[in-house]
Amino acid sequence: MIIMNQKETPFMDAVLKYVKKGIIPFHTPGHIQGKGVSKEFAEFFQYALAADSAEVEHLESHHDYEAARKEAEKLLADLYKVDRSFFLCNGTTEGIQALILAYFTSQDTVLLPRNAHRSVVGGLILSGAKPKWVYPEIDREWKVATVVETEKWLEQSQGVSGAFHLYPNYYGMCQDLEKQVIDGLPNLVDEAHGVHLQFSDFFPKQALDFNITATVQSPHKILSSLTQSSWLHVKKKEDAARISQVLGIIETTSPNFLLWSSLDAARALEAEDNNRWNETVFRVQNLRKVIKQISGFKIFEPTKSHTEIYAMDPLKLMVSASDLGLDGFRFRDELRKRGIMPELAETEFVLFLITPAHQEKELAHLSKALEDISQNGVKSNRERINVPIYPRLKTVISPKEAFFSTGVSVKLSEADGCIAQEMIIPYPPGIPLIMPGEQITKEVIELTQYYKSLNWPLRGMEDKNTEFIRVIS
């Protein structure tokens, strides 16, 4: 019997160790270690432990927090010009799954992009709704899924009960959402990465500018709220009541007041000062010019061949060091050695998330790190494979039916042709390589083994060594 030391605090220690390293984060949350929060919230946070409470003091309700919450949500709805907004304290996952449960049942088929986030699959499992997947376009040089092409999306829209859109995607790419809205049906949006789009004319249009039903956003990703805090917007009053009912079922009955307070403060900051977004865009434009002058690096920019990409968020910076012989993961490791941590690494590039909290000092540190990598002559010795990053998979049964079926664990290497009961999810970005109900192929097996060799975190599998996968027996 192993006797464990209960005085150890491994998770808390790991967090503190990262903070003390002084690494400059170009990743979520958007407040960048507190640099981007408002003065008022910084002062409030001095009382964080005391404010982690279950009571408030409010003129109308005295001790009931609901009145204060609703007042704050009305201010949020006014800022985004919608009928109703909701604070969420279980992330955008909560909002996505609430929307799916509010509009779809096991009798419904939902039109979805195949590069949807894992939380969407959770919503399908909970609701029983059947997905009708539309695969995004692939940039073969960068080995990245872009967005769904409009004509393909509309071709697949016959007979569906509604649509769930991804806008923008993780990398800031936007499709022509206005044309992809399906008239007369619920049009729901995962806008986790687009919470800031209304605050500058340099950004793509926000989803709420189109004829959608509701959208979920992640202010913690690029605004200044705390991690796990999100919000949901509903355009019309008649849709708000049903969504409110569902949220009442799935949201926690012990909400974190620090998260809600951070949402309130983030909204107030955006209402006060929008010009900071324009200033951030100007800084990023200058940074792009600097990076282009450094030997060995490329920045992703849509070309005429990317007809599916209608617009792109300028604050998402995809940079490749493949001309230096570095895959994305080795590139990330070299950045980390130089005090920089990007949002994510993939096989061909890293992604930098830039917010108003990144001032000239942080951007100069990034460009200096890139210059040092360029001059250092580091190369990767990892072998690359030529397998489609989004193999077309057959959906045999619904995600819910697969999830609740009897399953067995088999060797991944021998699972070709089996029906998956669990997901394999490269994380980030959190897009399932395979999901419950889909048939496993040789390409899925090879990609999983390749990603494992790159030390790309893979989630969703019971076997954390990714040697076995649960399939339907």
Side-chain angles (χ1 to χ4, degrees):
M1 178 179 175
I2 299 175
I3 299 175
M4 302 186 75
N5 182 0
Q6 292 299 328
K7 291 184 178 181
E8 292 181 350
T9 53
F11 189 84
M12 186 173 69
D13 294 348
V15 172
L16 196 58
K17 185 177 180 181
Y18 178 75
V19 172
K20 287 183 175 180
K21 271 185 171 290
I23 292 171
I24 299 176
F26 285 85
H27 58 73
T28 59
H31 62 70
I32 311 302
Q33 297 178 339
K35 295 182 180 72
V37 303
S38 65
K39 177 184 176 183
E40 292 78 8
F41 188 67
E43 292 174 353
F44 166 87
F45 211 72
Q46 296 178 40
Y47 303 95
L49 290 175
D52 185 20
S53 171
E55 298 289 342
V56 299
E57 193 70 23
H58 189 265
L59 288 174
E60 292 182 15
S61 64
H62 302 294
H63 303 292
D64 182 8
Y65 62 77
E66 275 300 321
R69 174 190 181 179
K70 287 178 180 177
E71 189 176 334
E73 289 176 340
K74 284 181 180 179
L75 286 165
L76 177 60
D78 179 69
L79 180 65
Y80 279 86
K81 302 295 183 287
V82 294
D83 181 79
R84 182 82 185 270
S85 293
F86 298 88
F87 281 0
L88 308 174
C89 60
N90 194 27
T92 295
T93 293
E94 176 189 346
I96 286 172
Q97 295 179 354
L99 288 181
I100 293 175
L101 284 167
Y103 287 95
F104 305 119
T105 70
S106 58
Q107 304 303 310
D108 294 312
T109 298
V110 190
L111 191 65
L112 291 152
R114 182 52 180 78
N115 55 335
H117 187 260
R118 63 181 293 183
S119 57
V120 172
V121 183
L124 294 173
I125 292 170
L126 292 170
S127 69
K130 302 171 184 64
K132 190 173 188 180
W133 300 113
V134 185
Y135 278 80
E137 300 300 300
I138 304 296
D139 185 295
R140 301 196 182 281
E141 178 186 356
W142 288 76
K143 291 185 172 57
V144 66
T146 60
V147 296
V148 171
E149 198 272 327
T150 297
E151 186 175 345
K152 293 179 181 178
W153 178 264
L154 297 177
E155 283 175 356
Q156 296 296 317
S157 66
Q158 299 301 314
V160 301
S161 309
F164 208 109
H165 307 267
L166 172 63
Y167 179 93
N169 68 8
Y170 205 117
Y171 319 102
M173 303 169 190
C174 300
Q175 70 275 33
D176 190 348
L177 182 58
E178 183 175 18
K179 290 183 179 178
Q180 292 192 11
V181 168
I182 311 299
D183 292 337
L185 296 177
N187 284 269
L188 314 173
V189 184
D190 173 1
E191 201 178 6
H193 299 276
V195 64
H196 59 300
L197 296 184
Q198 74 150 317
F199 300 129
S200 173
D201 291 337
F202 290 105
F203 298 149
K205 288 186 176 182
Q206 62 174 342
L208 288 167
D209 290 333
F210 309 117
N211 189 28
I212 65 162
T213 307
T215 185
V216 194
Q217 300 173 330
S218 298
H220 67 272
K221 291 190 184 299
I222 198 165
L223 300 191
S224 56
S225 69
L226 297 179
T227 297
Q228 200 174 309
S229 62
S230 291
W231 53 47
L232 185 158
H233 305 298
V234 188
K235 292 189 79 172
K236 297 179 181 179
K237 186 176 182 179
E238 56 264 31
D239 293 303
R242 178 62 176 162
I243 294 170
S244 180
Q245 282 184 316
V246 176
L247 284 171
I249 293 172
I250 67 173
E251 72 180 0
T252 178
T253 54
S254 302
N256 188 311
F257 288 2
L258 298 178
L259 297 184
W260 282 356
S261 297
S262 77
L263 289 172
D264 206 15
R267 183 269 314 155
L269 179 59
E270 298 312 323
E272 171 189 324
D273 181 13
N274 282 345
N275 193 52
R276 66 200 192 102
W277 292 101
N278 292 338
E279 293 170 351
T280 304
V281 171
F282 296 146
R283 287 195 295 272
V284 175
Q285 288 174 341
N286 290 332
L287 176 64
R288 285 174 180 269
K289 293 176 183 176
V290 170
I291 294 175
K292 287 178 180 179
Q293 297 301 313
I294 303 174
S295 177
F297 297 107
K298 295 181 292 189
I299 298 175
F300 179 88
E301 293 176 336
T303 65
K304 290 181 180 179
S305 65
H306 294 102
T307 56
E308 74 280 9
I309 302 177
Y310 196 68
M312 190 157 179
D313 180 3
L315 302 188
K316 296 290 185 75
L317 204 59
M318 293 169 58
V319 181
S320 168
S322 60
D323 288 349
L324 296 175
L326 296 175
D327 63 53
F329 296 92
R330 182 64 187 275
F331 185 15
R332 175 204 60 194
D333 294 344
E334 292 300 320
L335 285 164
R336 183 77 177 256
K337 292 176 185 176
R338 293 160 175 83
I340 297 288
M341 188 64 183
E343 168 69 9
L344 63 73
E346 293 202 14
T347 58
E348 301 300 316
F349 64 90
V350 301
L351 177 70
F352 298 103
L353 170 66
I354 301 173
T355 82
H358 292 107
Q359 297 295 310
E360 295 292 352
K361 179 182 176 181
E362 287 80 17
L363 300 187
H365 195 109
L366 172 57
S367 59
K368 183 179 179 182
L370 294 175
E371 287 174 354
D372 190 60
I373 292 171
S374 175
Q375 295 168 7
N376 198 36
V378 180
K379 289 192 176 182
S380 175
N381 56 6
R382 292 177 177 137
E383 182 181 352
R384 297 212 169 108
I385 64 171
N386 187 26
V387 175
I389 63 168
Y390 273 89
R392 268 44 175 177
L393 303 178
K394 181 181 179 181
T395 300
V396 181
I397 57 177
S398 73
K400 180 174 184 176
E401 187 180 352
F403 185 83
F404 288 104
S405 294
T406 302
V408 294
S409 185
V410 301
K411 282 187 176 181
L412 178 64
S413 60
E414 300 173 359
D416 182 25
C418 296
I419 302 171
Q421 192 191 33
E422 59 185 359
M423 290 185 270
I424 302 175
I425 313 164
Y427 216 95
I431 300 165
L433 176 58
I434 193 162
M435 59 187 69
E438 290 183 330
Q439 190 170 45
I440 301 169
T441 64
K442 291 179 180 178
E443 290 83 3
V444 168
I445 296 169
E446 191 173 354
L447 275 172
T448 303
Q449 293 170 339
Y450 177 52
Y451 292 161
K452 180 182 177 181
S453 74
L454 295 173
N455 295 320
W456 194 341
L458 298 172
R459 300 183 184 176
M461 300 174 72
E462 183 179 280
D463 175 22
K464 302 309 176 186
N465 294 318
T466 63
E467 293 176 1
F468 291 83
I469 184 169
R470 290 194 64 81
V471 301
I472 295 174
S473 59

